Amino acid sequence: FSHLVAGIVASRLDNACYQKYVPCLGAPDFLQQLGVLALERYWICAFCINQHCSICGSFPREPLIGTQEHSNWDAARRDTVTNEIYPLCNCRQKKHFGDSMVECEMNKFDSVMAKLSRTPAFTQLVVADLHFEVFARAWCVAEVVEADSLNMHQELLLYDMDCLHTHGQSLTQLSVRSCRTSRADDQEEIIRNIGDVTVLDRRLQWLLFRSSGLLRSHRNSMEGQTAAVAKILKVQAAIHHDGHLGPSPASSRWFGSSRGSQGHC
């Protein structure tokens, strides 16, 4: 959570990396130093979605012990700092999931984003974690694509440049099929709504690696990011040329639905 907040701070201070702001968050005078920059409003689902009418009282169904799915499930229910299992809430608030389409608050991200996109100068911030796990989350990837469909301005914040050098290559093979969700029903819903997964995968590559894409920051470290992205694409092109991995997703063009005159191409 501290990294999310640090990413927001970095965005307000026009920096592409947020590492140096993490230790500052506990300083009593840091908020004061930010001044009017701290008055900007952000929509964060962890706060804006009522957790007490959904996931507060239980964990997702436990997968088969010994599988990678079980390891992911176990990691998701633990505090990343203490490794303790999160306590469950005993509130009596009625829970609503996918079987309650109207009451459920977790199945309306597209409608919420459509409404937010009408806010003047609204921007989607993608705060990448140390290991780029955000790109392995199906809902996060779906929201990135949805924001682009809505012509919403988007920004990517990195922990530091080492993350891009270490994990950037994996993004050239990013596919929504391999992304995870906490609940199996969510994965099925996302795939069902997408329709043509191959088209969406190509679009993801376009959003990340195009000349004005998420990985081509306009911020202070632009030169370093541009060089890193160029290296990633060069390696991927060499692999593609050798025929080891088949067509290169990063070099594919996306021919999805038509865009209006306000597109980011």
Side-chain angles (χ1 to χ4, degrees):
F1 177 74
S2 63
H3 286 194
L4 171 62
V5 177
I8 292 173
V9 171
S11 171
R12 296 299 297 142
L13 296 177
D14 202 35
N15 281 289
C17 299
Y18 60 85
Q19 178 189 27
K20 65 180 181 180
Y21 300 112
V22 175
C24 300
L25 297 178
D29 60 340
F30 186 61
L31 189 62
Q32 186 175 8
Q33 292 176 14
L34 289 176
V36 295
L37 295 179
L39 300 179
E40 189 78 11
R41 291 183 295 175
Y42 290 82
W43 194 98
I44 300 175
C45 64
F47 301 141
C48 297
I49 298 298
N50 185 359
Q51 310 294 324
H52 290 288
C53 68
S54 55
I55 63 174
C56 74
S58 65
F59 298 116
R61 186 171 59 250
E62 182 176 3
L64 183 65
I65 296 176
T67 63
Q68 183 60 49
E69 288 77 11
H70 188 276
S71 297
N72 295 337
W73 172 85
D74 186 53
R77 67 185 183 130
R78 295 180 181 273
D79 188 298
T80 57
V81 177
T82 66
N83 203 39
E84 295 290 329
I85 296 176
Y86 291 120
L88 296 176
C89 179
N90 60 2
C91 74
R92 298 184 179 181
Q93 177 73 36
K94 186 175 181 180
K95 313 302 184 213
H96 298 285
F97 297 102
D99 54 347
S100 302
M101 296 299 293
V102 176
E103 296 88 351
C104 180
E105 294 189 19
M106 300 188 298
N107 61 352
K108 300 175 176 63
F109 84 91
D110 49 349
S111 299
V112 172
M113 292 183 69
K115 181 176 179 61
L116 292 173
S117 70
R118 295 192 287 271
T119 303
F122 189 85
T123 295
Q124 181 190 56
L125 293 184
V126 182
V127 181
D129 54 283
L130 281 164
H131 305 292
F132 279 19
E133 284 291 315
V134 65
F135 296 110
R137 303 294 301 176
W139 281 118
C140 296
V141 170
E143 289 167 11
V144 168
V145 174
E146 183 69 15
D148 179 71
S149 298
L150 294 168
N151 293 327
M152 189 183 294
H153 180 63
Q154 298 170 286
E155 296 178 6
L156 174 66
L157 284 302
L158 305 175
Y159 179 77
D160 59 19
M161 287 304 299
D162 287 342
C163 293
L164 183 57
H165 288 290
T166 303
H167 302 289
Q169 189 67 41
S170 65
L171 296 182
T172 64
Q173 301 300 319
L174 179 62
S175 172
V176 71
R177 294 183 189 276
S178 60
C179 291
R180 304 189 304 271
T181 58
S182 298
R183 301 176 185 274
D185 292 346
D186 290 347
Q187 180 83 1
E188 296 171 3
E189 179 184 348
I190 291 172
I191 296 295
R192 182 171 59 252
N193 291 338
I194 287 172
D196 193 330
V197 175
T198 301
V199 170
L200 183 134
D201 285 347
R202 290 178 177 175
R203 183 175 180 177
L204 278 173
Q205 297 299 313
W206 179 76
L207 289 175
L208 290 167
F209 292 102
R210 59 179 173 161
S211 60
S212 59
L214 285 174
L215 289 173
R216 312 276 189 145
S217 174
H218 69 282
R219 297 178 182 275
N220 296 343
S221 59
M222 176 181 177
E223 183 177 348
Q225 282 190 239
T226 300
V229 171
K231 183 177 180 180
I232 290 168
L233 294 180
K234 183 177 181 180
V235 171
Q236 184 64 16
I239 294 174
H240 172 51
H241 182 268
D242 291 340
H244 292 166
L245 294 180
S248 169
S251 62
S252 301
R253 292 187 63 192
W254 171 67
F255 296 96
S257 58
S258 60
R259 299 287 303 276
S261 60
Q262 299 301 312
H264 304 307
C265 299

